[in-house]
Amino acid sequence: DVKVTQSSRYLVKRTGEKVFLECVQDMDHENMFWYRQDPGLGLRLIYFSYDVKMKEKGDIPEGYSVSREKKERFSLILESASTNQTSMYLCASSLGTGGTGELFFGEGSRLTVL
Amino acid sequence: AQSVTQLDSHVSVSEGTPVLLRCNYSSSYSPSLFWYVQHPNKGLQLLLKYTSAATLVKGINGFEAEFKKSETSFHLTKPSAHMSDAAEYFCVVTSYNFNKFYFGSGTKLNVKP
């Protein structure tokens, strides 16, 4: 089974702190994604990556950056956390072109910024 | 352009009665469509997918969905609801190269005893 692992399920950080959210997938997928999920707003794409060192902005990239140095790992970085970044963050991966498009999700990381 | 509309934000059914969660899509090409389920504080799990094969798709836990091109719909159904089906459900359409995914706003299913 494909497994997408997010390093932290729950985090509490202070305003201004730098936050790293890590995501690892074990199926050699080309595509990886970071979403944030907020009540009433559904899932919104922050960034995605279709190859190592490649990234594209999603719908809400402001205040976030990403890193993909290895194919299996996709990190989301909050350079200076703010209270409006309190949210559930979901990482996902997919095979990409040649696959059937299915997204595989991690369990999510719930971030609280005080 | 691709988009997905889930017509109901909340659906409430009694245990043992049928479930219908509605989804309409817009796509400029033959789409791939998915339904995902999310239980509280969990990630999303694939229920079923349509990828241009049979229009009636069977998924896990007794769910199925029918792709109707003429109606641009992909409604999710289950003949008999179970308490464990209470969750949020998302309809999703993907781009032709599977690099982008368009999520509906979600439907919360409540199952009453």
Side-chain angles (χ1 to χ4, degrees), chain B residues 26-48:
Chain B
S26 171
S27 179
S28 50
Y29 47 80
S30 294
S32 290
L33 292 155
F34 308 82
W35 276 100
Y36 286 83
V37 60
Q38 185 182 31
H39 292 278
N41 294 312
K42 294 283 190 181
L44 279 70
Q45 179 187 16
L46 181 70
L47 268 182
L48 50 80

Side-chain angles (χ1 to χ4, degrees), chain B:
Chain B
Q2 284 69 243
S3 67
V4 174
T5 303
Q6 291 184 241
L7 297 158
D8 307 292
S9 59
H10 290 82
V11 169
S12 186
V13 301
S14 297
E15 192 174 20
T17 64
V19 175
L20 170 64
L21 305 183
R22 298 182 293 166
C23 172
N24 285 100
Y25 70 91
S26 171
S27 179
S28 50
Y29 47 80
S30 294
S32 290
L33 292 155
F34 308 82
W35 276 100
Y36 286 83
V37 60
Q38 185 182 31
H39 292 278
N41 294 312
K42 294 283 190 181
L44 279 70
Q45 179 187 16
L46 181 70
L47 268 182
L48 50 80
K49 60 185 175 186
Y50 167 77
T51 54
S52 76
T55 55
L56 182 62
V57 182
K58 293 187 185 298
I60 61 171
N61 300 333
F63 284 94
E64 55 183 46
E66 187 170 8
F67 173 70
K68 291 187 176 180
K69 187 175 181 179
S70 60
E71 298 176 12
T72 61
S73 69
F74 191 57
H75 301 333
L76 182 69
T77 60
K78 183 173 181 178
S80 176
H82 191 273
M83 295 298 293
S84 61
D85 294 329
E88 189 161 19
Y89 293 79
F90 293 92
C91 183
V92 183
V93 64
T94 186
S95 60
Y96 71 95
N97 59 359
F98 306 130
N99 280 347
K100 292 191 177 180
F101 296 82
Y102 302 88
F103 284 79
S105 53
T107 299
K108 286 190 176 175
L109 176 64
N110 178 46
V111 182
K112 299 175 288 186

